Amino acid sequence: MPTQPKLTRFNQNVLSKYQIYNSIFMTLPFDAVTKTGALLPLFHETCQKGFANQDNPTAIVDSFFNKYQARRSSESQINLLFRFIQYIERQVVLFDAIEDAAFPIVNNMDGIGTLRSLKETVSADNKLETLQKYLEEFKVRIVLTAHPTQFYPGSVLGIITDLTEAIRENDLLRINDLLAQLGKTPFFKHEKPSPFDEAVSLIWYLENVFYKSFGGIYDYIQQNIFDGKPISNDIINIGFWPGGDRDGNPFVTPEITLKVAGRLRLSIIKNYYRNVRQLKRKLTFQGVEDRMGNLERELYSIITNEGSDLTLEYFVSELKAVKQLIIDKHQSLYVDELNSLINKTHLFGFHFANLDIRQDSRKHEQFFNDMVNALIADGSHIFPENYHDLQESEQIKILSKVEGSVDLSLIKDEETLKALETIKAIKTIQQTNGEQAANRYIISNNQSTLHVMQLFAMLKLVAFQDDLTVDIGPLFETITDLENAPKVMEELYANPDYAEHLRARGNRQTIMLGFSDGTKDGGYLMANWAIYQAKENLTRVSRDHGIKVIFFDGRGGPPARGGGKTHNFYASLGPTIEDEEVQLTIQGQTISSNFGTLESAQYNLEQLISSGIGNSLSDVDLSMQPENREVMTDLANRSYEAYANFKAHPKFISYLEHMSTLKYYAKTNIGSRPSKRGKSEGLVFEDLRAIPFVGSWSQLKQNVPGFFGVGTALKHYEDIGEFEKAQHLFKTSAFFKTLIENSMMSLSKSFFDLTRYMSEDEEYGGFWNVIYKEYETSKRLILKLTGYSELMQEEPSGKASIAVRESIVLPLLTIQQYALKKIQELEKAEVRDEEQIKIFEKMVTRSLFGNINASRNSA
């Protein structure tokens, strides 16, 4: 029987099931307000018709109550709107669970981009040996961050997991119970989670998803590509930021870092223990059973904190000895299962995930200067007394040769002391969990060579002295910093002492590039092009010095933060960009949507592996042609100019402050860190974090960071009669094609009828019209560019999924805008009704949850 089109599979296995299960959910008797389930479809219909007539949200809500609930008091009306919010949040969960359950049916698990497909392609081209050689070097690292874009508490994530399983099995009774449980389970967190809480919630994915899926992929590669032979390279591993990312988060302390590292170690030991117990029941052979029993006891002693001298080396050597015994004396019975456990020890060690430390360069400067001042005041000769008066080049010379150690009792500033104790914590973690457990320090907002060398010196003086077993990764984010990055790295590579450090680290240098703040700073096209060019220039500089550069991409979920179809980015890079490793951050609901189940984790990880490898094995030249490079640069510059002018608009900041949900993000209790970097009272653009910035535009359904400036840039080529140059770029550049396709996703999730009422606002009408005009121009010209008749034409199932999700939250968006409008009216009143303002503010905050969760990638 032929395979049905992907859209048909989506409609049958997702959309139809959602309609059936949603009708059950809407009739469940868990609701204190009568008939909520029956009234919500009527409210949904009222919203649809109202926006089609260009009514504003207030008129839509009022017309609903006038038509269907005229006798309700105003208090009762508000209660009903809150009930609608609760229902819609749960409808989103239901849709998530159904889509997760259908993932292996809707997506072809053996199709293009999967390892099976890759193996068949290279075998047909007689390139299997080339693939093997490449896999001996190539790596993919998924780095989980605690960036707050996931609104589901742990209890709800558990229900989603169980509901997904029940839906997959069509277990109607269990589905009914789980839907009822969902209706009664709170979604709202009354307190912010601690960084440790965030770590624990993400470790659940490590234990229940990544342990199995990473292991399964590695087993497949070993058995099917390497014919069962051992592979020295781990190929796939996990990075981890909760508990280590201090950038803007004062709640991440050295104690938290050590505690998280301990929890990671305990979690992997528990997984090994479960596997050893299962194997012990099967390996009941002479000379084997006792050895497995001994390993089981040692692992259990670690879990119960009874004390054990078991090392990773001994654990692995015993497993390998048992494997040899089984092969030699027991006909290789269960050898594949034992080998799978050995492979997992290769991937996860006793550390499970690589815990990164991250801090802002401006903070490092503060801590470093405190340390220098304390040493000079104490009479130390590590730094000369006039250190602060020296030229930057002289300071770098001193930092390069620095020797000695710092007595931390000299440090009086609490924040500086915590920063330096964190460095000691890295050393402690390496001693207990192995070097891989914590061996990378990211400097965010890195602007200069001095910033890197300040950390270099602190690491050596505080804990590592002559044996620095930590990689320093500068993070370049703004457009200016991206342009300056090659100069910084050239200076570092030319520094004999830093070069010696790199030699000791295998002549490999990690450089992180931040899409989120790049887009916030320079707009969509310019951020992506600036990063592409920075990668080219950094590759060239690194190769000139014999350094293998590893690019670590700080990506968010939506296209505006470098997300979207991420693997397409890696598949579109040419030979001018180093691609031996793919490293990227995964956060929030992107973790649960792309890696939340075994099937989705396997599929998306295989896509990333294949995109990186396929780029190198392909005979197609992906280099950007000179004429294309000229057009791309011009488009980026024109887009940047349009975005910069937009940002400079006198109403830009106040629009976000007064007309969006920006200030409500801080009230959601979803993340441990503050919603902005600085301590300024007013709203300062530079202090804004990318997540609430992008998220606020998403809540307005305007998605500005994902398209603004694209239309203006393309219109120039239309106006001068050279639009075919842009069309040629789209047809011949995989990189530009990926950018445009991801921008289409942002445009598809925009809905300007929601905020059309703002166009008549006395203060902000002109500003709203600037945004809407750019949206219309971008949409029209992207369709002209691609030749499509509608946005996302080439991704019908993705488009259908977005359409369902946007339909589910339409009433929620209406309620949110209604509440925002009420707040504006109440704040302008002669006598402020503080109680009413609080109620509507709560309504806005509560409506954030479902809108974000429904987006899956937050825009």
Side-chain angles (χ1 to χ4, degrees):
M1 185 177 171
T3 305
Q4 293 171 314
K6 194 171 180 180
L7 180 59
T8 305
R9 299 199 301 272
F10 173 85
N11 287 335
Q12 289 177 349
N13 296 281
V14 179
L15 185 56
S16 295
K17 281 190 175 181
Y18 173 71
Q19 288 164 345
I20 292 165
Y21 294 136
N22 186 46
S23 63
I24 296 170
F25 172 69
M26 298 296 271
T27 58
L28 288 173
F30 60 75
D31 180 24
V33 176
T34 56
K35 297 182 181 177
T36 305
L39 289 170
L40 182 53
L42 295 173
F43 182 57
H44 187 279
E45 186 186 11
T46 306
C47 293
Q48 281 182 317
K49 288 180 177 176
F51 287 123
N53 292 332
Q54 297 194 356
D55 293 339
N56 68 52
T58 306
I60 290 169
V61 172
D62 288 345
S63 71
F64 166 75
F65 282 120
N66 289 336
K67 188 172 182 180
Y68 298 108
Q69 296 287 297
R71 294 180 181 177
R72 277 186 187 269
S73 65
S74 58
E75 185 182 351
S76 177
Q77 288 179 2
I78 287 169
N79 286 340
L80 182 61
L81 292 177
F82 274 112
R83 287 292 171 183
F84 283 163
I85 291 170
Q86 290 177 305
Y87 264 76
I88 295 162
E89 283 174 337
R90 287 152 179 80
Q91 285 179 310
V92 173
V93 170
L94 175 60
F95 189 77
D96 279 348
I98 292 168
E99 204 162 41
D100 286 345
F103 190 93
I105 302 168
V106 174
N107 296 280
N108 185 351
M109 301 298 283
D110 295 322
I112 294 169
T114 62
L115 287 176
R116 187 182 298 273
S117 171
L118 178 67
K119 194 218 169 186
E120 288 173 359
T121 302
V122 296
S123 297
D125 295 341
N126 292 316
K127 287 185 176 179
L128 191 59
E129 279 188 28
T130 310
L131 176 60
Q132 289 172 348
K133 188 180 174 188
Y134 195 73
L135 280 169
E136 284 288 2
E137 299 290 333
F138 180 75
K139 290 177 189 280
V140 169
R141 181 182 293 190
I142 303 295
V143 182
L144 306 186
T145 81
H147 293 353
T149 59
Q150 172 60 273
F151 283 78
Y152 294 139
S155 54
V156 175
L157 287 172
I159 294 171
I160 293 175
T161 302
D162 294 342
L163 192 55
T164 300
E165 187 184 319
I167 289 166
R168 193 175 287 135
E169 294 169 3
N170 286 316
D171 186 341
L172 201 55
L173 287 174
R174 193 164 165 228
I175 290 167
N176 201 65
D177 287 346
L178 286 164
L179 289 174
Q181 181 188 348
L182 186 66
K184 290 181 171 292
T185 302
F187 274 44
F188 190 77
K189 294 177 183 176
H190 292 286
E191 293 179 2
K192 277 181 176 289
S194 72
F196 184 69
D197 295 333
E198 290 171 332
V200 169
S201 68
L202 286 187
I203 288 171
W204 183 93
Y205 289 102
L206 301 190
E207 287 184 329
N208 295 283
V209 181
F210 286 12
Y211 182 75
K212 296 170 188 171
S213 59
F214 279 40
I217 289 171
Y218 192 85
D219 291 347
Y220 179 88
I221 291 171
Q222 186 185 56
Q223 294 303 320
N224 295 281
I225 296 174
F226 286 86
D227 296 321
K229 298 186 191 83
I231 315 166
S232 58
N233 181 25
D234 57 6
I235 302 175
I236 42 180
N237 56 51
I238 311 165
F240 203 75
W241 275 18
D245 182 10
R246 292 165 159 64
D247 182 9
N249 193 340
F251 307 111
V252 180
T253 62
E255 293 76 22
I256 289 282
T257 301
L258 289 167
K259 197 175 172 186
V260 168
R263 182 62 172 248
L264 283 165
R265 185 175 190 268
L266 182 64
S267 298
I268 191 61
I269 296 291
K270 281 180 178 176
N271 276 29
Y272 291 155
Y273 173 72
R274 282 191 283 267
N275 277 179
V276 167
R277 272 180 66 88
Q278 290 160 359
L279 279 165
K280 185 171 158 262
R281 291 184 65 181
K282 296 177 177 180
L283 303 178
T284 51
F285 322 134
Q286 191 175 2
V288 173
E289 188 175 21
D290 289 347
R291 294 177 87 158
M292 294 301 291
N294 179 54
L295 289 179
E296 181 190 14
R297 284 189 295 276
E298 290 294 327
L299 291 167
Y300 186 73
S301 294
I302 296 173
I303 293 167
T304 54
N305 212 20
E306 290 174 14
S308 167
D309 296 326
L310 182 69
T311 62
L312 176 64
E313 291 71 26
Y314 180 76
F315 181 51
V316 174
S317 68
E318 276 295 277
L319 290 175
K320 286 181 176 177
V322 168
K323 177 184 172 183
Q324 199 58 51
L325 270 173
I326 291 170
I327 292 168
D328 294 343
K329 297 188 176 180
H330 303 290
Q331 292 76 48
S332 297
L333 200 55
Y334 299 122
V335 75
D336 285 347
E337 290 174 53
L338 182 60
N339 192 64
S340 184
L341 177 56
I342 293 169
N343 283 344
K344 288 185 176 76
T345 66
H346 184 45
L347 296 180
F348 305 119
F350 269 9
H351 62 280
F352 215 157
N354 306 67
L355 183 62
D356 284 342
I357 309 299
R358 184 174 77 131
Q359 182 56 282
D360 190 281
S361 64
R362 291 162 292 192
K363 282 292 182 184
H364 280 153
E365 202 152 46
Q366 174 192 325
F367 305 146
F368 175 78
N369 289 336
D370 276 354
M371 181 188 76
V372 171
N373 292 338
L375 287 168
I376 292 172
D378 191 56
S380 166
H381 297 295
I382 294 174
F383 295 97
E385 287 188 22
N386 66 338
Y387 174 82
H388 295 304
D389 300 324
L390 296 174
Q391 296 288 326
E392 193 168 299
S393 57
E394 291 298 314
Q395 291 181 341
I396 289 170
K397 277 184 192 172
I398 291 168
L399 299 178
S400 303
K401 307 280 185 192
V402 78
E403 287 182 349
S405 61
V406 180
D407 178 359
L408 295 190
S409 67
L410 298 173
I411 309 298
K412 303 307 175 194
D413 181 80
E414 190 180 340
E415 205 179 355
T416 301
L417 188 60
K418 282 181 180 178
L420 301 183
E421 283 178 340
T422 295
I423 291 171
K424 293 190 84 167
I426 299 171
K427 185 83 175 277
T428 303
I429 293 166
Q430 289 191 359
Q431 289 165 345
T432 54
N433 295 12
E435 191 203 300
Q436 280 187 297
N439 64 358
R440 184 164 71 178
Y441 201 127
I442 307 293
I443 309 171
S444 52
N445 192 45
N446 194 92
Q447 296 171 339
S448 66
T449 308
L450 184 63
H451 283 155
V452 174
M453 296 311 295
Q454 284 171 341
L455 177 60
F456 179 78
M458 284 194 287
L459 287 164
K460 293 184 82 168
L461 291 173
V462 174
F464 292 91
Q465 277 75 46
D466 298 325
D467 186 20
L468 181 51
T469 53
V470 178
D471 297 318
I472 300 173
L475 164 54
F476 301 103
E477 299 175 85
T478 65
I479 305 303
T480 303
D481 290 345
L482 287 165
E483 289 171 353
N484 194 41
K487 178 175 172 287
V488 170
M489 298 315 300
E490 175 76 58
E491 288 175 2
L492 285 168
Y493 294 151
N495 181 309
D497 299 281
Y498 190 79
E500 188 181 328
H501 164 65
L502 287 181
R503 272 193 296 278
R505 304 299 292 165
N507 275 330
R508 297 164 78 81
Q509 171 69 55
T510 297
I511 299 175
M512 189 174 177
L513 301 161
F515 280 81
S516 293
D517 284 297
T519 308
K520 183 168 80 80
D521 180 54
Y524 180 72
L525 272 190
M526 177 55 93
N528 281 280
W529 182 231
I531 288 169
Y532 184 93
Q533 289 179 299
K535 282 186 175 182
E536 286 189 318
N537 293 328
L538 290 165
T539 297
R540 177 179 43 75
V541 168
S542 301
R543 286 174 179 170
D544 287 347
H545 286 269
I547 304 296
K548 180 72 72 175
V549 65
I550 310 300
F551 291 119
F552 173 22
D553 290 324
R555 294 177 176 275
R561 298 211 323 277
K565 297 285 184 183
T566 308
H567 55 270
N568 289 351
F569 271 103
Y570 294 108
S572 70
L573 303 177
T576 53
I577 292 175
E578 201 70 75
D579 61 353
E580 199 172 274
E581 280 198 36
V582 169
Q583 292 196 16
L584 70 159
T585 52
I586 305 287
Q587 57 196 247
Q589 75 274 58
T590 310
I591 297 172
S592 55
S593 62
N594 287 3
F595 298 93
T597 66
L598 289 172
E599 292 87 359
S600 63
Q602 177 192 329
Y603 181 84
N604 285 300
L605 193 58
E606 287 190 17
Q607 292 286 328
L608 280 173
I609 294 170
S610 295
S611 65
I613 293 171
N615 188 12
S616 289
L617 297 182
S618 173
D619 293 326
V620 179
D621 184 4
L622 292 172
S623 302
M624 183 80 78
Q625 299 306 311
E627 66 273 16
N628 280 346
R629 186 175 290 275
E630 192 180 321
V631 175
M632 184 71 231
T633 302
D634 188 53
L635 285 169
N637 287 335
R638 291 181 185 284
S639 171
Y640 180 51
E641 187 183 352
Y643 180 74
N645 289 338
F646 174 64
K647 237 177 24 172
H649 193 287
K651 294 299 176 187
F652 183 87
I653 291 292
S654 62
Y655 180 82
L656 278 174
E657 197 165 15
H658 299 294
M659 305 300 277
S660 84
T661 57
L662 184 68
K663 63 185 177 186
Y664 297 94
Y665 269 78
K667 301 178 182 182
T668 55
N669 293 330
I670 56 163
S672 66
R673 70 178 185 175
S675 60
K676 63 178 185 173
R677 282 188 172 90
K679 295 179 180 177
S680 55
E681 285 297 316
L683 193 60
V684 178
F685 181 77
E686 287 70 27
D687 289 343
L688 277 182
R689 291 200 168 277
I691 289 167
F693 175 73
V694 172
S696 297
W697 291 112
S698 171
Q699 296 277 328
L700 285 166
K701 303 315 284 178
Q702 293 175 357
N703 290 329
V704 160
F707 71 83
F708 201 96
V710 176
T712 296
L714 289 172
K715 190 170 185 300
H716 167 75
Y717 282 82
E718 183 184 55
D719 289 347
I720 63 171
E722 294 181 2
F723 198 72
E724 72 279 357
K725 287 185 178 179
Q727 289 171 318
H728 178 74
L729 177 65
F730 179 78
K731 286 172 186 170
T732 56
S733 166
F735 171 74
F736 184 62
K737 187 171 189 284
T738 299
L739 283 189
I740 292 299
E741 286 176 345
N742 277 337
S743 190
M744 276 197 274
M745 188 188 294
S746 293
L747 290 165
S748 294
K749 292 182 179 182
S750 299
F751 181 59
F752 277 83
D753 284 341
L754 178 72
T755 56
R756 190 174 294 279
Y757 71 91
M758 293 182 190
S759 65
E760 296 168 12
D761 187 270
E762 195 174 313
E763 188 173 355
Y764 297 107
F767 186 73
W768 185 92
N769 280 303
V770 168
I771 301 168
Y772 183 60
K773 184 183 176 186
E774 184 65 23
Y775 162 78
E776 287 281 274
T777 304
S778 298
K779 181 180 174 181
R780 177 179 68 81
L781 290 176
I782 281 178
L783 290 175
K784 181 177 178 179
L785 179 77
T786 57
Y788 299 167
S789 57
E790 58 183 32
L791 295 171
M792 294 183 71
Q793 186 175 303
E794 297 294 292
E795 292 183 77
S797 63
K799 185 180 174 70
S801 176
I802 289 171
V804 177
R805 289 174 176 278
E806 295 298 317
S807 176
I808 290 170
V809 295
L810 183 65
L812 197 57
L813 292 162
T814 310
I815 291 168
Q816 185 183 80
Q817 285 297 319
Y818 169 77
L820 281 167
K821 216 159 173 292
K822 283 287 185 189
I823 293 165
Q824 290 161 16
E825 289 168 10
L826 288 163
E827 285 179 339
K828 288 174 184 173
E830 286 183 23
V831 180
R832 284 169 63 97
D833 188 334
E834 296 296 343
E835 281 303 309
Q836 282 290 299
I837 289 173
K838 276 183 188 173
I839 288 168
F840 287 112
E841 283 183 337
K842 184 182 176 186
M843 193 176 283
V844 173
T845 306
R846 292 290 289 112
S847 61
L848 285 171
F849 290 55
N851 289 335
I852 285 285
N853 289 331
S855 290
R856 281 249 156 157
N857 64 16
S858 303

